[in-house]
Amino acid sequence: MEREAAELFEEFKELTASEFFRRNKQMLGFSGKIRSLTMVFHELITNSLDAAEEAGILPEIKIDLKRLDKDHYILRHTDNGPGIPEPFITKVFSTMFAGSKFRNIQSRGQQGLGCSGCVLLSQMTTGKPAKVISGYQEGDRLKGVEMTFKMDVKTNKGLVLERKDVEVQSTGVSIELHFKDVSYSLSEQGAYEYIRRTMIANPHTKITFRDPTGHKYIFNRAADIIPPLPKEVLPHPKGVTADDLIFMAKHTDKRRFRSLLTSNLSRMSTKRVNEIQGITGIDLNKRPKDMKWEEAEQIVETFAKMDFMAPPTSGLIPIGKEQIEKGIREILNPEFVATTTRKPKTFRGGVSFIIEAGISYGGDSGRMVGEQRKAEIMRFANRVPLAFDQGSCAITEALKSVDWKRYGIRDLDNAPITVFVNIVSTNVPYLSTGKQSVAPEPDILHEVRQATMKIARSMQKYIRAKKAAKEEEMRSKIFESLVPVIIREAAVLAEKDVPEYDVVLAKVTRRSNYEGVVQDE
Amino acid sequence: MNKKDIAVNKLKSLGDIILEDVHQNNVPAIKVPSRGTSNIVYDTEKRYYVLGDRYGKRSLGNVKQISKIAQMVYVANFCKDLVRRNKTATLREMYYVSEGWDVDFGDQQESNIVGEDLEVTLGMTREDLGLMPEEDGASVYGKITMQEDDVEINALRSGKSGYTISPTIDDVKFLEHDVKRVIAVETMGMFHRMVQEEAYKKFDTLIVGLKGQAARATRRFLKRVNEELDLPVYIMNDGDPWGFHIAMVIISGSAKLAHVNHQLATPDARFLGVTASDIINYDLPTDPLKDIDVLRLKELSKDPRYKDEHWQVEIKKMLKIGKKAEQQSFSKYGLEYVVDTYLPEKLDSME
């Protein structure tokens, strides 16, 4: 029996973002027990850092992870940020795709579904509601509210179960979530390591972490400068599509298309607009809404052929070589550290990025494998540690391609070093939805190599000087122990008194490179 | 001055060199003659290998050389004490004694080398310095009487195995003898054959069993009887490159001991056989030359010690027939043949 179309479409439903991610939680990074917990830490820490920095507050985070049962944990995460006004609490924690970051701006956060993703995971694995205490300034008053809520995936909204006013001492948000199907691990991909790395890239942060065994780790602030907030930058002509132009045309208040171009794109001067008009023959004085799709396509093709200045880099905020050094010194306590922040470059013709790198040697550098220290690579994108998918990442690939032997590292895998690389960009080219590895763009590979090789050279100098000093010391020791012995034995041999030999000893130790006239041997 | 005083004085002078430098506030250094192959030369006048005049300087100011000097002064003191007290020690004993010193030897090899350094530096043999090799020398049978300390030994009355040459053979005095020559043989088998056949009577000879490559003491003994008693020395070995070379080391010394060859080489000793010509003339039972024998023969033919025509002819001949023979192969004609026929004929032709 044939069925009518309408009948077939009876079951046709709209899927909310929450419902979609409930079914595809791996797309939020929640795959595997260790990884899931690390992603929760990532989302909560990132949000706290962003919020505190935006409010001009030096971030301080307290995390308390308790284990109730095998695979069942309760996590309390508290920050000292500006807090969340009551009406926005459920939006932040229960609505997917809500946020302020859908702009061309460098950000730690990624899709803007971070915190709600954590609540979703908690609810999916334990059925327990989330509890949030938010302290925030309202006018002259410090307001505190405590809320217990669930996420309604059908509507992509929070469902408040309880609310009450509470006394708070300061602004900030505290959230308590239950999780099952997660696992705390000290491995490279684990939550602890995630915090440690975050501290290196964010030395202005203080994190106190109590782990499931009750051990309290205090990661102190190594710097007290709040990083400047990244600015939004206009898109670069090389980075726009015909669709982008049509979209801009629809949503502009400009009366002419030419002024739309100059005000909505970077590096676009009246002179360049005239050139485009000359090449395409399109009348750019027309009203934006009269722009045809074909014409937009023609303009984009022309952009591709033209040379533009690289996009402005004012929107890129690197950590800075001094800050990276402070972070590394605080966390890795190394013998030697070298850092560098490269000048901005672009990839794919128009996306700007900055590579920063640090190398630390000795101390707690490298990771302990059994009794031996092995090299570790710490990858970051906009200060956020990339803990997974190391293999396919541009940073790993670039580092592996460096000829480490030239820098005195015979075997990279087994050297006691940590190599730190951060890529700063408004548009980091991630390889996959997990956003844990950077696409191996040739320009990025090149910059990572240049940055690493530069600091590796300083490290090589250090290692060499250290080795030379050690040899020098060893030589002195040999002379100091053997010269008296030889002179004493020579005196016994000659059957005479032991002469004064201070001058000779001084000569020998000072001129340790003194070589006799060796004609042979 | 006796040998003991010479040794003590030379050892003391080594200490003096160092002290003298210290007094003048100079970094002390010791000249050690080089034992590298480039510094070992065949002296055609002397007819043995000698050290050239190249040397290395061991300085207290060089981190690699300083421990060698320390080892050397310790060894020198050890030797001085030995010589003073009329004692000897083996290299191995010295290695163990060195455990108590303020310098270490990695292994015995290292202490052996320092011993050699001291030998070449002072121009004395290790026996002069009281250091003895491990191995005994070979056996001597025949009419000779020697004195070791206060014991008189007659090599004819020391049993069928003869008198065993002591490592301290330099301390042995030759009292009297009644022989005209010395015949050294490579194997103890031939030694016993010659004793049984009374070759010592027939040829008025001392019979010396070399036991293969001759020990330093044996070579020293042969040199002394040759020079002190004016006895011609003949060497009878296997007819193969190895037998040739055992004889040649007795005659011309070895490169390795170039610094003491003046005390060891007996340039006038002569090779009695078995030669390639003997193999043909006596139609001896043979073995074919192995590849390694051929290789060795070719090496010998280029060696300056073999440059005289007689050796060159014999080496070529052996290569040509491709055969070698042992000294015992004369037994083909009966056990007595070698003493009754071969040796008289051979000695006649050589004397």
Side-chain angles (χ1 to χ4, degrees), chain A residues 78 82-83 132-138 141-146 164-174:
Chain A
T78 308
V132 166
I133 299 168
S134 173
Y136 57 99
Q137 205 73 34
E138 198 175 68
R141 215 156 58 86
L142 181 64
K143 210 180 161 198
V145 61
E146 182 181 313
K164 61 179 182 205
D165 288 318
V166 288
E167 286 266 317
V168 290
Q169 304 303 313
S170 59
T171 62
V173 178
S174 173

mmCIF file of all heavy atoms in Angstrom, chain A residues 78 82-83 132-138 141-146 164-174:
data_model
loop_
_atom_site.group_PDB
_atom_site.id
_atom_site.type_symbol
_atom_site.label_atom_id
_atom_site.label_comp_id
_atom_site.label_asym_id
_atom_site.label_seq_id
_atom_site.Cartn_x
_atom_site.Cartn_y
_atom_site.Cartn_z
ATOM 1 N N THR A 78 35.716 25.453 41.204
ATOM 2 C CA THR A 78 35.386 26.797 41.678
ATOM 3 C C THR A 78 36.367 27.795 41.093
ATOM 4 O O THR A 78 37.576 27.547 41.095
ATOM 5 C CB THR A 78 35.497 26.847 43.218
ATOM 6 O OG1 THR A 78 34.719 25.775 43.743
ATOM 7 C CG2 THR A 78 34.995 28.167 43.756
ATOM 8 N N PRO A 82 34.123 36.681 37.383
ATOM 9 C CA PRO A 82 33.089 37.663 37.690
ATOM 10 C C PRO A 82 31.745 37.044 38.080
ATOM 11 O O PRO A 82 30.850 37.753 38.514
ATOM 12 C CB PRO A 82 32.943 38.429 36.371
ATOM 13 C CG PRO A 82 33.369 37.441 35.333
ATOM 14 C CD PRO A 82 34.432 36.600 35.963
ATOM 15 N N GLY A 83 31.652 35.721 37.928
ATOM 16 C CA GLY A 83 30.387 35.063 38.222
ATOM 17 C C GLY A 83 29.426 35.163 37.048
ATOM 18 O O GLY A 83 29.730 35.810 36.040
ATOM 19 N N VAL A 132 25.090 24.577 40.964
ATOM 20 C CA VAL A 132 25.957 25.725 40.701
ATOM 21 C C VAL A 132 25.729 26.791 41.760
ATOM 22 O O VAL A 132 24.594 27.048 42.148
ATOM 23 C CB VAL A 132 25.663 26.312 39.297
ATOM 24 C CG1 VAL A 132 26.293 27.695 39.151
ATOM 25 C CG2 VAL A 132 26.182 25.393 38.211
ATOM 26 N N ILE A 133 26.839 27.349 42.261
ATOM 27 C CA ILE A 133 26.730 28.548 43.089
ATOM 28 C C ILE A 133 27.425 29.653 42.312
ATOM 29 O O ILE A 133 28.577 29.493 41.912
ATOM 30 C CB ILE A 133 27.418 28.368 44.448
ATOM 31 C CG1 ILE A 133 26.765 27.234 45.228
ATOM 32 C CG2 ILE A 133 27.367 29.668 45.247
ATOM 33 C CD1 ILE A 133 27.541 26.799 46.444
ATOM 34 N N SER A 134 26.702 30.733 42.074
ATOM 35 C CA SER A 134 27.307 31.836 41.347
ATOM 36 C C SER A 134 27.292 33.073 42.234
ATOM 37 O O SER A 134 26.275 33.425 42.820
ATOM 38 C CB SER A 134 26.531 32.110 40.052
ATOM 39 O OG SER A 134 27.029 33.268 39.441
ATOM 40 N N GLY A 135 28.458 33.695 42.355
ATOM 41 C CA GLY A 135 28.524 34.960 43.075
ATOM 42 C C GLY A 135 28.857 36.043 42.073
ATOM 43 O O GLY A 135 29.806 35.884 41.307
ATOM 44 N N TYR A 136 28.069 37.100 42.026
ATOM 45 C CA TYR A 136 28.338 38.148 41.042
ATOM 46 C C TYR A 136 27.920 39.502 41.580
ATOM 47 O O TYR A 136 27.098 39.622 42.485
ATOM 48 C CB TYR A 136 27.615 37.844 39.720
ATOM 49 C CG TYR A 136 26.119 37.678 39.846
ATOM 50 C CD1 TYR A 136 25.250 38.726 39.531
ATOM 51 C CD2 TYR A 136 25.570 36.466 40.262
ATOM 52 C CE1 TYR A 136 23.881 38.574 39.637
ATOM 53 C CE2 TYR A 136 24.199 36.313 40.384
ATOM 54 C CZ TYR A 136 23.356 37.364 40.067
ATOM 55 O OH TYR A 136 22.005 37.213 40.183
ATOM 56 N N GLN A 137 28.535 40.498 41.005
ATOM 57 C CA GLN A 137 28.285 41.874 41.431
ATOM 58 C C GLN A 137 27.046 42.362 40.697
ATOM 59 O O GLN A 137 26.934 42.230 39.487
ATOM 60 C CB GLN A 137 29.508 42.709 41.046
ATOM 61 C CG GLN A 137 29.720 43.941 41.871
ATOM 62 C CD GLN A 137 30.208 43.643 43.278
ATOM 63 O OE1 GLN A 137 30.949 42.696 43.490
ATOM 64 N NE2 GLN A 137 29.740 44.431 44.251
ATOM 65 N N GLU A 138 26.080 42.899 41.441
ATOM 66 C CA GLU A 138 24.912 43.490 40.790
ATOM 67 C C GLU A 138 24.775 44.886 41.351
ATOM 68 O O GLU A 138 24.362 45.055 42.496
ATOM 69 C CB GLU A 138 23.662 42.645 41.070
ATOM 70 C CG GLU A 138 22.525 42.941 40.099
ATOM 71 C CD GLU A 138 21.345 42.000 40.343
ATOM 72 O OE1 GLU A 138 20.704 42.120 41.401
ATOM 73 O OE2 GLU A 138 21.096 41.137 39.486
ATOM 74 N N ARG A 141 26.011 45.584 44.939
ATOM 75 C CA ARG A 141 25.738 44.455 45.803
ATOM 76 C C ARG A 141 26.396 43.176 45.288
ATOM 77 O O ARG A 141 26.416 42.905 44.097
ATOM 78 C CB ARG A 141 24.212 44.230 45.836
ATOM 79 C CG ARG A 141 23.670 43.754 47.153
ATOM 80 C CD ARG A 141 22.181 44.142 47.239
ATOM 81 N NE ARG A 141 21.433 43.569 46.126
ATOM 82 C CZ ARG A 141 20.921 42.335 46.127
ATOM 83 N NH1 ARG A 141 21.072 41.560 47.158
ATOM 84 N NH2 ARG A 141 20.245 41.901 45.089
ATOM 85 N N LEU A 142 26.922 42.409 46.225
ATOM 86 C CA LEU A 142 27.444 41.097 45.852
ATOM 87 C C LEU A 142 26.303 40.109 46.045
ATOM 88 O O LEU A 142 25.768 39.975 47.150
ATOM 89 C CB LEU A 142 28.623 40.730 46.758
ATOM 90 C CG LEU A 142 29.295 39.395 46.495
ATOM 91 C CD1 LEU A 142 29.938 39.371 45.117
ATOM 92 C CD2 LEU A 142 30.351 39.111 47.563
ATOM 93 N N LYS A 143 25.928 39.472 44.932
ATOM 94 C CA LYS A 143 24.773 38.594 45.016
ATOM 95 C C LYS A 143 25.202 37.144 44.903
ATOM 96 O O LYS A 143 26.131 36.823 44.161
ATOM 97 C CB LYS A 143 23.799 38.937 43.871
ATOM 98 C CG LYS A 143 22.366 38.670 44.243
ATOM 99 C CD LYS A 143 21.410 39.017 43.120
ATOM 100 C CE LYS A 143 20.110 38.275 43.414
ATOM 101 N NZ LYS A 143 19.271 38.162 42.249
ATOM 102 N N GLY A 144 24.547 36.281 45.633
ATOM 103 C CA GLY A 144 24.889 34.869 45.553
ATOM 104 C C GLY A 144 23.647 34.028 45.334
ATOM 105 O O GLY A 144 22.619 34.245 45.966
ATOM 106 N N VAL A 145 23.751 33.080 44.419
ATOM 107 C CA VAL A 145 22.596 32.214 44.177
ATOM 108 C C VAL A 145 23.074 30.781 43.994
ATOM 109 O O VAL A 145 24.143 30.531 43.433
ATOM 110 C CB VAL A 145 21.791 32.719 42.946
ATOM 111 C CG1 VAL A 145 22.657 32.685 41.694
ATOM 112 C CG2 VAL A 145 20.528 31.891 42.734
ATOM 113 N N GLU A 146 22.287 29.875 44.549
ATOM 114 C CA GLU A 146 22.612 28.465 44.369
ATOM 115 C C GLU A 146 21.484 27.810 43.592
ATOM 116 O O GLU A 146 20.318 28.040 43.894
ATOM 117 C CB GLU A 146 22.767 27.789 45.736
ATOM 118 C CG GLU A 146 23.152 26.331 45.618
ATOM 119 C CD GLU A 146 23.284 25.657 46.981
ATOM 120 O OE1 GLU A 146 23.929 26.219 47.881
ATOM 121 O OE2 GLU A 146 22.714 24.566 47.141
ATOM 122 N N LYS A 164 18.086 28.939 45.553
ATOM 123 C CA LYS A 164 17.991 29.750 46.769
ATOM 124 C C LYS A 164 19.098 30.783 46.766
ATOM 125 O O LYS A 164 20.152 30.593 46.146
ATOM 126 C CB LYS A 164 18.052 28.865 48.017
ATOM 127 C CG LYS A 164 19.327 28.070 48.154
ATOM 128 C CD LYS A 164 19.294 27.235 49.449
ATOM 129 C CE LYS A 164 20.613 26.487 49.594
ATOM 130 N NZ LYS A 164 20.535 25.282 50.389
ATOM 131 N N ASP A 165 18.832 31.856 47.470
ATOM 132 C CA ASP A 165 19.866 32.873 47.619
ATOM 133 C C ASP A 165 20.860 32.393 48.669
ATOM 134 O O ASP A 165 20.457 31.753 49.648
ATOM 135 C CB ASP A 165 19.234 34.199 48.089
ATOM 136 C CG ASP A 165 18.437 34.826 46.956
ATOM 137 O OD1 ASP A 165 18.934 34.807 45.809
ATOM 138 O OD2 ASP A 165 17.308 35.314 47.213
ATOM 139 N N VAL A 166 22.100 32.654 48.415
ATOM 140 C CA VAL A 166 23.114 32.258 49.396
ATOM 141 C C VAL A 166 24.087 33.401 49.626
ATOM 142 O O VAL A 166 24.210 34.305 48.813
ATOM 143 C CB VAL A 166 23.911 31.002 48.957
ATOM 144 C CG1 VAL A 166 23.070 29.753 49.031
ATOM 145 C CG2 VAL A 166 24.500 31.201 47.570
ATOM 146 N N GLU A 167 24.754 33.321 50.752
ATOM 147 C CA GLU A 167 25.798 34.292 51.071
ATOM 148 C C GLU A 167 27.067 33.873 50.325
ATOM 149 O O GLU A 167 27.443 32.698 50.354
ATOM 150 C CB GLU A 167 26.104 34.243 52.568
ATOM 151 C CG GLU A 167 25.055 34.872 53.435
ATOM 152 C CD GLU A 167 25.391 36.333 53.742
ATOM 153 O OE1 GLU A 167 26.573 36.586 54.037
ATOM 154 O OE2 GLU A 167 24.482 37.174 53.632
ATOM 155 N N VAL A 168 27.688 34.796 49.649
ATOM 156 C CA VAL A 168 28.979 34.466 49.054
ATOM 157 C C VAL A 168 30.022 35.472 49.513
ATOM 158 O O VAL A 168 29.689 36.594 49.869
ATOM 159 C CB VAL A 168 28.922 34.435 47.507
ATOM 160 C CG1 VAL A 168 28.113 33.259 47.010
ATOM 161 C CG2 VAL A 168 28.371 35.744 46.963
ATOM 162 N N GLN A 169 31.272 35.046 49.537
ATOM 163 C CA GLN A 169 32.367 35.907 50.001
ATOM 164 C C GLN A 169 32.918 36.755 48.860
ATOM 165 O O GLN A 169 33.471 37.803 49.075
ATOM 166 C CB GLN A 169 33.508 35.066 50.591
ATOM 167 C CG GLN A 169 33.083 34.139 51.706
ATOM 168 C CD GLN A 169 32.422 34.907 52.848
ATOM 169 O OE1 GLN A 169 32.928 35.930 53.294
ATOM 170 N NE2 GLN A 169 31.262 34.416 53.299
ATOM 171 N N SER A 170 32.806 36.208 47.640
ATOM 172 C CA SER A 170 33.378 36.932 46.504
ATOM 173 C C SER A 170 32.676 36.468 45.235
ATOM 174 O O SER A 170 31.863 35.543 45.271
ATOM 175 C CB SER A 170 34.875 36.629 46.400
ATOM 176 O OG SER A 170 35.039 35.234 46.239
ATOM 177 N N THR A 171 33.031 37.094 44.131
ATOM 178 C CA THR A 171 32.436 36.661 42.876
ATOM 179 C C THR A 171 33.086 35.346 42.449
ATOM 180 O O THR A 171 34.145 34.965 42.935
ATOM 181 C CB THR A 171 32.667 37.701 41.759
ATOM 182 O OG1 THR A 171 34.064 37.821 41.555
ATOM 183 C CG2 THR A 171 32.056 39.040 42.122
ATOM 184 N N GLY A 172 32.423 34.697 41.516
ATOM 185 C CA GLY A 172 32.969 33.444 41.012
ATOM 186 C C GLY A 172 31.890 32.392 40.895
ATOM 187 O O GLY A 172 30.779 32.556 41.396
ATOM 188 N N VAL A 173 32.237 31.344 40.190
ATOM 189 C CA VAL A 173 31.271 30.274 39.962
ATOM 190 C C VAL A 173 31.821 28.993 40.533
ATOM 191 O O VAL A 173 33.009 28.699 40.406
ATOM 192 C CB VAL A 173 31.010 30.092 38.447
ATOM 193 C CG1 VAL A 173 30.029 28.946 38.208
ATOM 194 C CG2 VAL A 173 30.494 31.368 37.831
ATOM 195 N N SER A 174 30.948 28.238 41.167
ATOM 196 C CA SER A 174 31.334 26.920 41.644
ATOM 197 C C SER A 174 30.325 25.933 41.090
ATOM 198 O O SER A 174 29.128 26.140 41.193
ATOM 199 C CB SER A 174 31.308 26.927 43.176
ATOM 200 O OG SER A 174 31.512 25.628 43.642
#
